[in-house]
Each structure stands twice: as C-alpha cells, then as structure tokens.
Amino acid sequence: MMNKMKILLNGKSIELTDVQTVSQLLDSLDMKAGRVAVELNREIIRKESYESQAIQDGDEIEVLQFVGGGSR
Amino acid sequence: MTQESGAIQEIQDKPLQIGDITLHSRLIVGTGKYKSFEETEQALAASGTEMVTVALRRVDFDAGDNLLNHIDTKKYIILPNTAGCYNADDAIRVSRLGREIGNSNLVKLEVLGDPDTLLPNPMETLKALKVLVKDGFTVMTYTNDDPVMAKVLEEEGSTVVMPAGAPIGSGQGILNPNNIRIILERAKVPIIVDAGVGTASDVTRAFELGCEAVLLNTGIAGAKDAVHMAIAMKHAAIAGRQAFLSGRIPKKLYANASSPALDF
C-alpha cells in the first residue's frame, strides 16, 4: 500500500509517497546530508537524527544550504 | 651594505588567531555576486585567502548545484554569516542552521537595520551576540565604525569585532579612519575591517591603520576582472601589513630634506 502525505517544503505544498523519515526525504530530493540543514516545524534536526526522525502529514520542513554571499 | 645572495624577505608576520583557527592570509573573502561558481573558485584561489564567508538560504531544488561543490573545505575555512537578517531571532536561527552544515561554531554575525542603508542594527546585534556567546559560538561581529559599540561587543564576548569601512557594497573605502584608529587603540580583540572596500588601496589603508584583517566581497566580485582584482587585493594586504609592521614615518607640516645638510 502506498503511503501518501502532504507537507510544506520550503514554503511549497508537496505530496510525498513512501517517505517516512527526514533521511528518506533528503534522498528523494537528491540532497546530501552534510550539505544542508533541516528544520522540522521550526526546530533544527541534527544530522544524527535524520534516519530516526519521522515526518508526518502537515509537517513544515525547511531545507537550507550555503550560498554565495558575504559583506556585499 | 650589499646583499650578497638572496633577496631580503618580508617581515615574518605572526598568524592571526580567531578562536581555535589560525590564519596566515589576512584577507577574508565573501562568495557572493560572482558571475559563476568557476569565477568564484578562481577568485578565491587568486586572493590567497584561507577563510571564505557564505550565506544561508532555502535550497532551490530546481537549481541542482551547491556552492560547497565548488569550495574546497580542506583549503578554506567556511565562515557562515547571517546576511539578510534584520533581527536577533533570525540571526540566531541562521547561526544555528549554519553550524549544522559547517560543523563549526564559527559565525559572522550581521544584523542589519534596513535594506536601503544595510547598516547594522546595534541593539539587535548585541541581543544576538549575547545568546550566541552563551551557546558556544565563536562570533565575528559586524558593526558600525563606532568605538563605543566596538568596545561593548568586545566586552560581551565577540571574538573579533568587524567595523564597516563604509556601507556594504558602497566601495567607498574607509570613510572615517579616525574612528577605526580609536577602535584599534582600545581593542583587546582583533579588529577586522568588513564592508566598503572598493579597491586595493582601501585594503592597504586598513592594514596601515593596524587592522588585523580585511573582509571583502564586492570589491573583488564586482570588478570587471574579478580574478585579477583578487590578486591585486592579495598584494594590497601584504603591502599594507608590511608597511604597518615596518613603522611608518610621522606626518609633518614642513619639509624634511632627505639629503645630508653638509657644506659643498
């Protein structure tokens, strides 16, 4: 049986299929764990918890990365 | 008096210590505004920098590429910054997120007052600094060239204090060298000029005044030829630092002949 849920990812509503953890979400997005930071409902999720941290329907998730920028 | 063999070397400078980080290059370079990741890589290499500052943003999943694919983290120390934050809470959040990616407690704290001037908001900066210091961060704080504020930031635990030479991206150089001098005279922590550098002589000037380092971005990235401007900035830093270490002559109102005053 397919497991579907809706989450808010970086401000956009998306539907996930068979994704249950942060780790699986990053894999599905083709994101490497060490290259991004993840917030789940405004709380930072540590890298060590990506595999165990469950995602639920209605969660708000932010995935952030370093970009060019400095003292402009 | 003649030099038999081998040129006289530059004065051996001691490395700059920021928390547990040791830097030999005294230029810290931003990674914004370059035309491409390739140009970023080339300019960073040309500048000789050992520390590069990066901002944090939401991932654009359609873009695909990642800045960290183009920055050798074995070669450069990553200095996450809080660029784009206008209040303490956002700056604290961004600092903590950056720590997750960067695996270090280093942060360049900048909390801006408004998007037109991009000048720092001192109240929110101080608020964020206190929380970040308690949280174990090594904080490099961006501030106005205000000697009172610089001292307050130092006393509240800022590891280095980074006064603006001029508004961010304005390229006006060091507008108030007197303030920078007062900050330097009273500081017990390293002072790094951050923002406002337009060209090589601005960098030299900062070091001549006694600043420990210069952080710049637009001065390189915005130049017509960014990579060669990066080389110019590297030499400017060496020139200014060497001049500072060598001890300049005092300024005088009247002439002072350089030939001996002897009879003919």
Side-chain angles (χ1 to χ4, degrees):
Chain A
M1 194 186 86
M2 299 272 262
N3 186 349
K4 286 194 178 195
M5 64 174 135
K6 258 191 179 170
I7 62 161
L8 204 59
L9 177 66
N10 286 4
K12 276 187 203 155
S13 179
I14 63 157
E15 197 169 60
L16 297 176
T17 307
D18 280 337
V19 169
Q20 275 137 28
T21 65
V22 169
S23 177
Q24 288 168 1
L25 173 68
L26 292 180
D27 282 347
S28 75
L29 296 167
D30 214 11
M31 293 284 126
K32 279 189 209 155
R35 295 282 168 95
V36 294
V38 178
E39 265 183 347
L40 174 61
N41 301 325
R42 305 220 138 243
E43 239 173 78
I44 295 173
I45 306 300
R46 310 295 307 268
K47 276 193 270 301
E48 305 84 74
S49 310
Y50 286 172
E51 294 213 7
S52 59
Q53 180 62 56
I55 298 175
Q56 287 168 347
D57 194 54
D59 277 347
E60 284 181 35
I61 295 176
E62 293 279 323
V63 181
L64 303 105
Q65 69 183 2
F66 287 146
V67 298
S71 173
R72 285 150 291 182
Chain B
M1 290 296 286
T2 52
Q3 186 77 11
E4 286 293 331
S5 64
I8 295 171
Q9 298 295 309
E10 289 161 12
I11 295 175
Q12 194 70 42
D13 200 359
K14 63 176 193 314
L16 173 59
Q17 198 68 35
I18 300 174
D20 53 10
I21 287 158
T22 307
L23 297 176
H24 301 89
S25 163
R26 288 172 177 269
L27 278 187
I28 304 171
V29 180
T31 52
K33 287 188 177 172
Y34 289 96
K35 292 182 203 81
S36 62
F37 281 137
E38 193 190 7
E39 190 188 59
T40 311
E41 282 180 272
Q42 289 174 352
L44 293 182
S47 75
T49 187
E50 294 169 346
M51 182 183 268
V52 299
T53 185
V54 298
L56 187 96
R57 293 291 180 273
R58 274 177 170 170
V59 173
D60 173 3
F61 297 108
D62 301 325
D65 211 349
N66 184 317
L67 177 66
L68 286 184
N69 294 336
H70 302 274
I71 293 179
D72 183 353
T73 51
K74 287 190 197 78
K75 196 169 154 196
Y76 303 110
I77 299 195
I78 302 289
L79 170 60
N81 64 51
T82 63
C85 293
Y86 287 87
N87 61 65
D89 288 343
D90 284 351
I92 293 161
R93 171 181 173 240
V94 167
S95 300
R96 288 173 175 160
L97 285 164
R99 178 166 63 182
E100 279 305 302
I101 310 176
N103 291 318
S104 98
N105 288 326
L106 203 58
V107 68
K108 177 191 172 215
L109 173 64
E110 60 174 88
V111 188
L112 304 179
D114 68 76
D116 295 327
T117 67
L118 297 180
L119 290 171
N121 178 326
M123 288 75 74
E124 293 295 309
T125 300
L126 184 60
K127 220 162 102 185
L129 173 67
K130 287 181 179 178
V131 173
L132 292 173
V133 167
K134 237 185 212 166
D135 207 358
F137 279 92
T138 297
V139 188
M140 302 170 68
T141 313
Y142 172 62
T143 175
N144 273 306
D145 60 356
D146 174 358
V148 177
M149 188 63 190
K151 201 68 197 167
V152 169
L153 294 171
E154 175 184 307
E155 284 164 2
E156 291 296 338
S158 192
T159 304
V160 305
V161 174
M162 307 207 290
I168 289 174
S170 70
Q172 297 185 71
I174 297 178
L175 287 179
N176 194 340
N178 289 344
N179 270 11
I180 301 290
R181 280 176 59 194
I182 296 171
I183 291 171
L184 283 163
E185 266 184 26
R186 296 157 28 122
K188 292 195 187 77
V189 297
I191 300 299
I192 296 176
V193 162
D194 175 5
V197 166
T199 187
S201 54
D202 298 335
V203 170
T204 303
R205 187 87 180 99
F207 284 106
E208 286 170 345
L209 289 168
C211 295
E212 292 282 353
V214 170
L215 193 155
L216 78 170
N217 186 349
T218 310
I220 294 175
K224 274 188 194 155
D225 181 342
V227 177
H228 285 95
M229 185 58 94
I231 295 175
M233 295 300 191
K234 176 172 95 175
H235 290 302
I238 294 167
R241 183 69 184 164
Q242 289 286 312
F244 172 73
L245 294 173
S246 304
R248 61 154 296 156
I249 59 162
K251 288 182 184 178
K252 287 184 193 139
L253 190 56
Y254 289 97
N256 190 353
S258 58
S259 321
L262 289 175
D263 294 337
F264 289 102

